[in-house]
């Protein structure tokens, strides 16, 4: 039983003697304790004056009744008002049930901090001057009893004014171009499509930028529904970001915007509201319940095979989030083709598993068992037999075979098709979502408030011929740019004209130091590999792992070193990731980019540079450096003067690159998915748990959304970054692991639904933002695609053993018929054990029991050098130079073939579909024609009105207006 509280005129709260059973309140919320009715604001709530009258009114009714009936009468009188409060608590409308809540600000009132109170007072007064309407929720109504909520509504006049400023497009004519889509095959895709009652297909219109002075030019049925909630909250946030909080006449120009007020603690949060609970449809018919539809038809994993409701995503979250999910869905679909081809190549490796001659020779006790190999490290490594690498050489064939070359070429073409077809898809979305020419408008209109605050002078814009605010440029800035040129070359990023002071030179210092830190960590991992290999070799000299079931025979010193080093490197990668964001944001803030687009692009380039070095450096080391600068017995090369460089197995380093790729790529994807789902869920669970501790309060819509996770300014940045890093793994090193696209495909199917679940259930509704494309990520993808051709060509040539085998097969085979017999013996050189320097010889107790120094006088090593006793002993043979020439020739041929095909495909596929081009041209033509006719008709009306004033007997102005409307309706 809960007591009833009533407010007096002086805002004091009195407790009524009567009580109400909380079980009678309808619609329990997710806490199962707080009543949150979804019936919406169907009955307007009474104002304070009316409420106080109700308090006074029952006195004459209670004069002749007992005390208990007086309590009962008073309770019944206030029951309707309490119900109205309950109805409005889970609503997206003001208390009047008419005005929609477009934005919510919250703060905890600190009576001792007068500065914050003064800021809020001035800021809210300026918001009202800007035309916004405000409504306050007292802290006594909040679940914690100390948080105020300021609800903001933008009336039509404000929406129209800023829609004109922001050039928001509005329909002016129905699309008259017939749809050319082939409907004969649409039934094939029916199982993958969502029903129309979910997709809500809307009529296709030609649109034009809104003009407040030409409001009757557009198709407007209802001003209240013309702009969807996502557009409304974008307009309101535009005002909030530029509204000052200083007094009139003050020189504090930088005291502006909700962002600064959030940073200094004046407000604790600012967010638009979700339209309903995600698990239950809103009862108010004026609420769209789009969140409910998105949760049921998009965020459920059981819908993984269904198309995404992109138009609904765009309508609810805005174009920027919509374009991300469109790109992610398209990327996932294209991965299906790469995954199928990769599986086919892997199956080819399985089918030819027992047919590779070189593995057979390695495993043969009479061939591999008789070949004694030189120690792989100094002192702690003994001599070993070649057949100890039997299993690794066999498994290496699964990925290192003829299909590897084909798959590397295929992926070079696939990545081009992916990027070109995405450009076409993106162009179609740009048109359908009214984003054509949006970038130019954003550059001109949506300057960052931080940039505007730093501007101190004006100059004439040669394009617009208007005065614009600019930053002062000094000679020191120019010198700073010159000093940073080397940084620009190394970091692939051009600071451009955004350097405004010598402080920027200091700001780029952490960027260089951060990359240096990553490189230092990689060198540390390499040093670990070199140092720990000797320990593993000493421990495993008698193959104790053979006693382990299943995997024991697979564990070798090389594999143990590679796996542990990969795991350590992965842990370092995850640790360093936590520090990147702050450094990159700090540097970008110091540059003071002009627009939001420039800010995001600059931040994107910096962060990708960090991640590129962080994630790929270990793979580059294994692929292109390990085993390449080893030297030969008696003349080894050392790192740090004492750590001998690593050698590859006789089967090649490709299997180690595969191991590194699988651990880093798979580990990252699994960890990121768990973190993305678990972290916000735990935070929200804790917030809701605390809210449930107040059963007497109503858990309002704004409180529910306040307790959700905030959608940070980086927003989609980490989502894009995760996918682009994955894209790099499946393109840069795919020649070493054909199953990488399959792993990426499975991950992305989960990723789409995890992201959808996060957005609909765990995050506050983000402020809608426009974006015509994926921004700087497009440049990065193009760069990775070009680099992938080079890296895969080098992997096949230098990491794989494909080229040496082909050279032997065609040029050095014994007999008259090409054969691979004797390849292993040909690929190993001979060294005289007696010529080993003292520091290279293994300790006496490190040699295996079968090694007899009196019998075994030579050992073999992986290289092509003349044997001892030859006049050119230990120098490279002609076989080596032939292989090197073949490798270089292969790289040149493969790169040229793939690049020619890439450029031909890119030229063959237009970036913009022909029907989209026709629609854009048609729309621009109609805008010019209709605007011309509109101005002509407007001029006719003015002339007619002027004529009527001079000739009263002529047609009345009302008749002229009616005639004008009729003519105008013909245009519509």
């Amino acid at each position: 039983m809960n007591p009833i509280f009533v407010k007096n005129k002086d805002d004091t709260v009195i407790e009524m003697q009567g009580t109400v059973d909380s079980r009678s309140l309808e619609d329990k919320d997710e806490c199962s304790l707080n009543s949150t009715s979804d019936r919406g604001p169907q009955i307007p709530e009474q104002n304070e004056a009316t409420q106080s009258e109700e308090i006074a009114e029952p006195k004459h009714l209670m004069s002749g009744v007992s005390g208990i009936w007086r309590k009962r009468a008073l309770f019944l009188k206030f029951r309707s008002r309490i119900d109205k409060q309950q109805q409005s608590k889970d609503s997206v409308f003001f208390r009047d049930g008419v005005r929609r809540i477009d934005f919510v600000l919250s703060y905890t009132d600190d009576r001792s901090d007068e500065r914050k109170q003064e800021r809020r007072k001035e800021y809210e007064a300026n918001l009202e001057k800007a035309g916004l309407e405000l409504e306050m929720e007292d802290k006594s109504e909040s679940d914690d009893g100390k948080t105020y909520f300021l609800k903001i509504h933008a009336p039509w006049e404000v929406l129209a004014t800023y829609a004109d400023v922001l050039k928001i497009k509005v329909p002016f004519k129905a699309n008259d171009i017939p749809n050319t889509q082939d409907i004969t095959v649409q039934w094939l895709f029916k199982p993958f499509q969502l029903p129309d009652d979910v997709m809500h297909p809307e009529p296709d219109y030609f649109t034009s930028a809104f003009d407040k002075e030409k409001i009757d030019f557009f198709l407007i049925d209802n001003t209240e529904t013309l702009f969807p909630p996502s557009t409304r909250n974008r307009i309101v946030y535009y005002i909030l970001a530029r509204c000052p909080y200083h007094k009139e006449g003050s020189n504090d120009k930088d005291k502006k915007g909700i962002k600064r007020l959030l940073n200094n603690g004046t407000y604790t949060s600012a967010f638009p509201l979700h339209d309903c609970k995600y698990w239950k449809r809103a009862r108010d018919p004026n609420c769209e319940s789009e969140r409910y539809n998105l949760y049921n038809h998009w965020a459920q994993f059981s819908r993984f095979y269904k198309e995404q409701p992109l138009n609904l995503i765009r309508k609810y979250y805005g174009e920027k989030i919509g374009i991300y999910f469109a790109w992610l869905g398209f990327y996932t679909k294209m991965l299906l083709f790469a995954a199928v081809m990769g599986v086919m190549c892997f199956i080819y490796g399985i089918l030819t598993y027992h047919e590779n001659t070189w593995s057979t020779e390695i495993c043969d006790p009479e061939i591999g068992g008789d070949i004694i190999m030189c120690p792989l490290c100094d002192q702690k490594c003994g001599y070993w037999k070649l057949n100890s690498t039997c299993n690794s050489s066999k498994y290496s064939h699964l990925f290192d075979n003829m299909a590897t070359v084909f798959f590397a070429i295929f992926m070079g073409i696939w990545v081009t098709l992916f990027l070109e077809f995405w450009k076409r898809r993106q162009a179609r979305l740009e048109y359908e979502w009214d984003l054509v020419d949006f970038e130019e408008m954003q550059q001109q209109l949506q300057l960052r408030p931080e940039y505007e605050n730093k501007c101190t002078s004006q100059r004439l814009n040669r394009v617009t011929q208007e005065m614009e605010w600019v930053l002062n440029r000094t000679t020191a800035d120019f010198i700073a740019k010159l000093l940073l040129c080397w940084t620009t070359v190394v970091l692939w990023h051009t600071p451009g004209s955004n350097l405004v002071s010598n402080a920027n030179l200091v700001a780029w210092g952490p960027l260089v130091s951060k990359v240096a830190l990553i490189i230092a960590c990689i060198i540390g991992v390499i040093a670990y590999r070199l140092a720990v290999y000797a320990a593993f070799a000493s421990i495993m000299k008698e193959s104790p792992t053979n006693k382990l079931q299943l995997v024991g025979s697979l564990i070798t010193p090389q594999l143990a070193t590679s796996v542990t080093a990969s795991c350590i490197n992965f842990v370092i990668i995850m640790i360093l990731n936590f520090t990147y964001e702050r450094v990159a944001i700090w540097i970008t803030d110091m540059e003071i980019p002009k627009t939001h687009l420039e800010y995001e692009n600059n931040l994107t380039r910096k962060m990708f540079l960090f991640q590129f070095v962080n994630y790929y450096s270990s793979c580059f080391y294994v692929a292109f450096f390990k085993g390449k600068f080893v030297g030969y017995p008696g003349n080894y090369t050392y790192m740090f003067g004492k750590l001998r460089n690593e050698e590859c197995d006789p089967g090649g380093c490709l299997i180690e690159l595969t191991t590194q790729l699988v651990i880093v790529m798979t580990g990252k994807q699994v960890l990121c998915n768990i973190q993305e789902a678990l972290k916000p869920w735990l935070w929200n669970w804790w917030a809701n748990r605390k809210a449930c501790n107040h059963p007497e309060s109503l858990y309002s819509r704004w409180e529910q959304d306040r307790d959700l996770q905030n959608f940070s300014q980086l927003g989609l940045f980490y989502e894009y970054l995760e996918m682009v890093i994955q894209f790099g793994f499946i393109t840069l090193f795919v020649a070493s692991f054909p199953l990488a696209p399959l792993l990426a495909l499975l991950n992305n199917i989960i990723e789409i639904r995890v992201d959808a679940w996060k957005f609909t259930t765990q995050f506050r509704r983000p402020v809608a933002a426009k974006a015509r494309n994926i921004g700087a990520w497009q440049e990065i993808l193009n760069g990775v695609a070009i680099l992938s051709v080079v890296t895969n060509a080098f992997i096949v040539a230098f990491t794989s053993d494909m080229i040496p085998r082909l050279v032997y097969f065609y040029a050095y085979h014994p007999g008259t018929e090409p054969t691979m017999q004797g390849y292993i013996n040909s690929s190993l050189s001979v060294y005289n054990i007696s010529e080993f320097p003292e520091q290279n010889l293994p300790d006496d107790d490190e040699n295996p029991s079968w090694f007899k120094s009196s019998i075994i006088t030579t050992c073999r090593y992986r290289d092509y050098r003349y044997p001892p006793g030859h006049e050119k002993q230990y120098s490279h043979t002609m076989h080596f130079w032939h292989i090197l020439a073949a490798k270089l020739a292969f790289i040149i041929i493969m790169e040229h073939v793939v690049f020619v095909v890439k450029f031909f495909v890119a030229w063959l596929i237009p970036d913009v579909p022909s029907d989209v081009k026709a629609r854009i041209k048609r729309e621009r033509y109609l805008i010019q024609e209709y605007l011309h006719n509109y101005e002509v008709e407007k001029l006719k009306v003015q002339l007619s009105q002027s004529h009527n004033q001079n000739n009263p007997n002529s047609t009345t102005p009302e008749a002229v207006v009616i005639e004008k409307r009729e003519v105008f309706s013909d245009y519509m």
Side-chain angles (χ1 to χ4, degrees):
M1 304 290 287
N2 296 328
I4 301 175
F5 295 91
V6 180
K7 272 190 180 180
N8 281 327
K9 289 184 178 180
D10 58 354
D11 284 344
T12 60
V13 180
I14 61 173
E15 179 179 350
M16 295 179 57
Q17 298 298 319
T19 58
V20 56
D21 189 349
S22 60
R23 291 174 296 179
S24 64
L25 301 178
E26 299 179 1
D27 258 357
K28 301 292 184 181
D29 66 357
E30 63 269 24
C31 300
S32 298
L33 294 170
N34 302 327
S35 175
T36 53
S37 174
D38 263 335
R39 289 174 289 178
Q42 298 174 2
I43 305 176
E45 198 174 37
Q46 297 155 329
N47 55 31
E48 278 191 17
T50 308
Q51 293 172 6
S52 56
E53 288 176 5
E54 283 187 337
I55 296 175
E57 183 183 4
K59 290 182 179 179
H60 71 282
L61 297 176
M62 300 185 207
S63 57
V65 294
S66 63
I68 187 170
W69 288 108
R70 280 199 302 270
K71 297 173 186 177
R72 179 65 176 170
L74 187 60
F75 164 72
L76 293 175
K77 188 67 180 178
F78 287 99
R79 176 63 182 271
S80 61
R81 181 176 63 82
I82 294 171
D83 285 344
K84 294 171 188 174
Q85 288 180 341
Q86 293 166 6
Q87 290 173 1
S88 65
K89 280 293 184 178
D90 197 38
S91 171
V92 294
F93 292 90
F94 275 16
R95 295 191 189 97
D96 58 17
V98 177
R99 293 173 293 173
R100 189 181 188 103
I101 301 174
D102 296 313
F103 227 88
V104 175
L105 307 181
S106 70
Y107 64 92
T108 302
D109 191 14
D110 186 358
R111 298 293 183 184
S112 61
D113 196 335
E114 296 182 357
R115 296 181 61 186
K116 291 182 180 179
Q117 295 181 35
E118 186 65 24
R119 290 184 197 132
R120 284 194 292 267
K121 180 180 178 181
E122 294 296 333
Y123 188 67
E124 291 168 14
N126 289 331
L127 289 178
E128 290 182 329
K129 290 178 182 179
L132 297 178
E133 298 177 1
L134 312 179
E135 185 176 81
M136 179 66 70
E137 285 289 328
D138 190 75
K139 64 180 181 180
S140 62
E141 300 291 334
S142 63
D143 65 307
D144 58 7
K146 57 184 180 181
T147 303
Y148 292 86
F149 291 92
L150 180 66
K151 299 177 287 186
I152 302 175
H153 168 75
W156 164 252
E157 188 65 24
V158 173
L159 294 175
T161 300
Y162 284 91
D164 193 348
V165 171
L166 298 175
K167 304 301 179 185
I168 294 174
K169 291 192 174 182
V170 176
F172 70 93
K173 183 186 185 302
N175 193 333
D176 56 3
I177 300 179
N179 191 352
T180 58
Q181 291 183 352
D182 188 5
I183 62 175
T184 58
V185 296
Q186 285 188 357
W187 63 271
L188 292 174
F189 304 100
K190 195 70 174 177
F192 308 105
Q193 295 176 348
L194 292 172
D196 288 344
D197 60 336
V198 176
M199 300 296 289
H200 294 296
E202 298 179 354
D204 193 7
Y205 293 103
F206 290 122
T207 59
S208 178
F210 185 78
D211 190 339
K212 186 179 178 182
E213 301 300 326
K214 301 180 177 66
I215 192 169
D216 52 346
F217 172 76
F218 302 99
L219 294 175
I220 302 177
D221 295 330
N222 186 352
T223 57
E224 294 299 322
T225 59
L226 175 63
F227 301 113
S230 58
T231 303
R232 296 175 66 99
N233 71 56
R234 184 165 75 93
I235 292 175
V236 173
Y237 185 76
Y238 184 86
I239 300 172
L240 293 176
R242 285 157 178 77
C243 183
Y245 55 89
H246 57 76
K247 295 182 179 179
E248 291 186 10
S250 174
N251 294 325
D252 297 328
K253 185 181 176 181
D254 61 338
K255 291 185 176 182
K256 179 190 297 185
I258 187 63
K259 184 177 178 181
R260 291 178 63 91
L261 291 173
L262 290 172
N263 290 337
N264 60 34
T266 304
Y267 291 99
T268 56
S269 61
F271 53 91
L273 292 178
H274 284 293
D275 59 3
C276 67
K277 298 182 178 74
Y278 66 85
W279 70 91
K280 181 169 59 177
R281 192 181 296 274
R283 293 187 178 182
D284 186 351
N286 295 322
C287 291
E288 299 83 0
S289 298
E290 291 174 351
R291 185 189 187 193
Y292 171 82
N293 289 333
L294 287 170
Y295 175 73
N296 280 280
H297 300 281
W298 178 48
Q300 300 285 352
F301 184 76
S302 59
R303 306 275 181 171
F304 74 92
Y305 63 94
K306 293 285 188 179
E307 65 176 334
Q308 298 185 85
L310 294 179
N311 288 328
L312 187 57
I313 298 170
R314 172 243 181 172
K315 182 181 178 183
Y316 192 74
Y317 292 111
E319 289 79 3
K320 189 172 184 179
I321 293 178
I323 204 77
Y324 162 72
F325 282 104
W327 175 82
L328 181 56
F330 184 82
Y331 170 47
T332 304
K333 291 177 183 177
M334 290 294 293
L335 275 175
L336 179 63
F337 302 100
V340 170
M341 191 60 63
V343 170
M344 292 175 61
C345 293
F346 183 71
I347 293 175
Y348 173 83
I350 295 176
L351 295 178
T352 59
Y353 179 76
H354 298 288
E355 298 178 5
N356 60 98
T357 306
W358 51 92
S359 293
T360 304
E361 291 184 348
I362 291 176
C363 298
D364 191 340
E366 296 182 358
I367 301 177
D370 288 340
I371 297 178
I372 309 302
M373 302 296 295
C374 297
L376 295 175
C377 64
D378 296 338
Q379 298 179 342
K380 296 299 180 180
C381 296
Y383 298 96
W384 54 285
K385 292 183 179 181
L386 181 60
N387 63 353
S388 64
T389 62
C390 172
N391 289 324
S392 64
S393 65
K394 283 185 176 181
Y395 293 123
S396 178
H397 175 73
L398 296 176
F399 309 106
D400 188 6
N401 50 64
M402 287 300 298
T404 302
V405 180
F406 168 78
F407 191 63
I409 295 174
F410 169 82
M411 288 302 295
I413 300 173
W414 174 87
V415 72
T416 303
L417 292 173
F418 163 63
L419 294 175
E420 292 302 317
F421 282 125
W422 166 245
K423 290 178 184 177
R424 291 172 60 84
R425 175 63 173 151
Q426 187 172 257
R428 190 176 296 278
L429 289 176
E430 284 182 20
Y431 173 75
E432 293 176 353
W433 292 356
D434 297 325
L435 298 172
V436 179
D437 301 328
F438 171 72
E439 185 174 350
E440 290 75 12
M441 292 188 292
Q442 187 179 32
Q443 293 287 345
Q444 297 172 15
L445 299 173
Q446 297 193 9
L447 299 179
R448 296 177 66 242
E450 294 84 356
Y451 175 85
E452 294 176 318
N453 294 337
K454 296 293 183 180
C455 294
T456 56
S457 59
Q458 287 183 309
R459 71 178 180 189
L460 183 67
N461 188 311
R462 297 182 179 180
V463 178
T464 62
Q465 291 297 307
E466 296 178 356
M467 300 299 293
E468 64 177 2
W469 288 101
V470 295
L471 296 170
N472 285 332
R473 309 296 180 186
T474 64
T475 305
D477 299 330
F478 178 74
I479 296 174
K481 288 182 190 179
L482 292 179
L483 293 176
L484 287 174
C485 283
W486 66 272
T487 309
T488 302
V489 175
V490 173
L491 301 178
W492 306 348
H493 171 68
T494 305
S497 60
N498 294 327
L499 293 172
V500 296
S501 67
N502 286 330
N504 287 18
L505 184 58
V506 179
W508 279 81
L511 187 60
V512 181
S513 63
K514 199 53 105 171
V515 174
L517 175 62
I518 298 172
I519 296 174
C521 292
I522 297 303
I523 293 175
V525 174
I526 295 173
Y528 164 85
R529 299 173 69 107
L530 302 180
V532 80
Y533 178 82
F536 280 124
S538 178
I539 294 172
M540 300 179 183
K541 61 177 179 285
E542 297 295 343
S543 300
T545 58
N546 286 336
K547 299 178 182 179
L548 300 176
Q549 295 182 356
L550 298 179
V551 299
S553 61
L554 305 180
I555 300 177
T556 62
Q558 292 92 338
L559 181 61
T561 303
S562 179
V563 171
T564 56
S566 299
C567 293
I568 292 174
N569 182 67
F570 175 70
V571 172
I572 293 174
I573 288 171
M574 293 295 105
I575 293 174
L576 291 178
N577 276 343
F578 287 107
T579 62
Y580 294 155
E581 178 181 338
R582 293 182 179 179
V583 175
I585 291 177
W586 179 41
I587 297 171
T588 308
D589 287 341
M590 292 291 286
E591 292 177 355
I592 317 178
K594 185 175 182 180
T595 66
H596 293 283
L597 181 64
E598 291 180 8
Y599 182 91
E600 292 180 3
N601 289 346
N602 292 355
L603 180 63
T604 296
R605 295 187 185 98
K606 293 181 184 67
M607 283 296 293
F608 180 75
L609 169 69
F610 287 146
Q611 301 287 14
F612 185 93
V613 177
N614 199 18
Y615 280 104
Y616 301 146
S617 54
S618 58
C619 292
F620 272 103
Y621 165 74
V622 175
F624 306 124
F625 296 97
K626 181 180 179 182
K628 307 301 185 296
F629 308 100
V630 177
Y632 60 93
N635 189 26
Y636 290 117
T637 57
Y638 291 83
M639 179 179 290
F640 310 123
K642 59 180 181 179
L643 296 176
R644 198 172 109 188
N645 287 348
E646 288 184 280
E647 296 185 42
C648 293
D649 281 341
C653 278
L654 193 70
I655 190 66
E656 292 193 41
L657 177 59
T658 303
T659 303
Q660 179 80 23
L661 184 63
V662 170
I663 290 176
V664 177
M665 177 182 173
T666 306
K668 176 185 179 298
Q669 293 183 159
V670 172
L671 186 63
C672 285
N673 280 330
I674 293 175
Q675 181 182 355
E676 287 180 11
L678 194 60
K679 183 179 177 180
W681 181 83
L682 288 175
W683 280 106
N684 291 335
W685 171 81
W686 183 254
N688 291 335
R689 176 179 174 273
K690 291 188 296 183
C692 294
N693 293 330
H694 303 276
E696 74 280 355
S697 64
L698 296 173
Y699 200 30
S700 63
R701 164 61 43 214
W702 39 92
E703 288 173 305
Q704 293 176 44
D705 286 9
R706 187 274 312 268
D707 290 338
L708 296 176
Q709 291 296 293
N710 182 39
F711 193 75
S712 67
Q713 71 170 30
L714 292 178
L716 297 170
F717 175 79
Y718 279 112
E719 306 295 342
Y720 273 117
L721 183 62
E722 180 185 355
M723 290 296 102
V724 172
I725 293 296
Q726 180 202 87
F727 179 81
F729 279 125
I730 68 167
T731 54
L732 294 174
F733 310 102
V734 74
S736 66
F737 187 47
L739 294 181
L742 177 63
L743 295 181
L745 174 64
L746 297 177
N747 173 81
N748 288 7
I749 292 174
I750 300 174
E751 180 76 20
I752 292 175
R753 304 303 159 177
V754 170
D755 287 348
W757 175 79
K758 285 191 311 181
F759 275 91
T760 54
T761 67
Q762 305 302 312
F763 282 110
R764 298 172 187 167
R765 185 174 185 172
V767 179
K770 282 185 174 290
R772 62 175 299 186
N773 50 41
I774 61 176
W777 298 112
Q778 186 77 40
E779 305 172 14
I780 292 173
L781 290 174
N782 290 331
V784 171
I786 295 173
L787 182 61
S788 68
V789 178
V790 179
T791 57
N792 282 296
F794 273 84
I795 287 173
V796 173
F798 287 97
T799 309
S800 166
D801 265 6
M802 185 61 59
I803 303 303
R805 293 169 191 160
L806 292 175
V807 171
Y808 179 84
F809 183 79
Y810 289 107
Y812 287 88
H813 62 272
T816 58
E817 294 295 330
T819 179
M820 291 299 297
Q821 297 292 335
Y823 167 73
I824 290 298
N825 185 63
S826 173
S827 64
L828 299 175
S829 298
V830 181
Y831 187 77
N832 193 339
I833 293 177
S834 62
E835 298 181 14
F836 262 123
E838 184 66 27
Q839 68 271 17
N840 296 142
L841 285 173
D843 296 338
D844 294 336
D845 58 344
E846 296 297 337
N847 287 325
S849 57
W850 49 261
F851 180 79
K852 305 297 181 182
S853 58
S854 60
I855 301 175
I856 302 174
T857 59
T858 61
C859 63
R860 311 292 293 273
Y861 59 97
R862 179 185 170 90
D863 208 341
Y864 296 90
R865 295 180 182 272
Y866 289 108
H870 194 277
E871 59 179 4
K872 296 181 180 179
Q873 67 174 3
Y874 305 136
S875 61
H876 285 122
T877 65
M878 288 302 298
H879 195 168
F880 169 83
W881 298 111
H882 288 162
I883 291 176
L884 181 60
K887 289 180 176 180
L888 297 177
F890 172 81
I891 292 173
I892 294 173
I893 293 173
M894 178 179 170
E895 287 183 356
H896 281 71
V897 169
V898 175
F899 279 131
V900 167
V901 175
K902 281 171 62 71
F903 292 135
F904 176 74
V905 170
W907 170 82
L908 190 64
I909 302 175
D911 292 346
V912 182
S914 58
D915 62 317
V916 173
K917 285 183 179 180
R919 289 170 179 261
I920 294 174
K921 291 179 180 179
R922 173 70 174 162
E923 185 174 276
R924 289 174 175 171
Y925 167 77
L926 288 176
I927 291 174
Q928 294 179 356
E929 182 186 24
Y930 273 49
L931 283 176
H932 171 75
N933 293 337
Y934 175 84
E935 296 295 340
V936 171
E937 292 298 324
K938 189 175 181 179
L939 180 59
K940 288 181 180 179
V941 172
Q942 293 175 353
L943 293 175
S944 177
Q945 290 175 347
S946 176
H947 176 71
N948 289 340
Q949 291 176 358
N950 297 329
N951 188 4
N953 295 325
S954 62
T955 307
T956 62
E958 290 77 9
V960 173
V961 172
I962 293 173
E963 181 181 356
K964 185 206 73 165
R965 288 178 179 173
E966 290 176 353
V967 171
F968 205 73
S969 64
D970 291 339
Y971 297 142
M972 297 300 182

